[in-house]
Amino acid sequence: MNALDHALFLSLNLGPGAPPWLVEATLAFSASLLYVAGAAALVVALAATPPQRRAAQRVLLAMVLGTLAVELLKRGFNRPRPMALGLGQQWLAHEAGHSFPSAHATLAMACALAAAMAPLPGGTRALLMGLALAEGWSRIAVGVHFPTDVLAGWCLGALCAWAAWRLPVPDDARLRQWLARWR
């Protein structure tokens, strides 16, 4: 870690003087975005038209790839969270485990970019990217990640989204056959 990362963290972290409404909104956003995104992708994957289902399957695959990649990388990097170094204000109760890369930033970007690679109505891509960027900021703001943890997460999420659209995903008929075997 370097002084620039620490300085950026301290400038983006919500300090003790932050308005309570901003702290509460940031905590709620930080904690809920991935659950909402994952649930939405799952609903679309199960109930939408075939092209929408395939796109949602890609989003879910990107999120699975992101989860696996983060778990592997966190085992290889022994990087403490800001709270372990006594930096900034921690608003979110969180385990003191490894911080690099940010799982939330990875999954938010994986989800946003994988969804953005599908045909979407105007403005939706910008909204998805804004949400992914806001998720990353929120993790710094609540005090559980350094900016480089989030930047690495965004890059990793982009790679997972790209991979999810290049890996084979079973078509509906093959998926139904596979599911029928397990009934």
Side-chain angles (χ1 to χ4, degrees), residues 9-10 12-23 87-91 141:
F9 169 78
L10 291 172
L12 295 170
N13 178 242
L14 295 175
W21 67 265
L22 179 59
V23 173
L87 292 174
Q89 176 73 39
Q90 181 185 346
W91 295 101

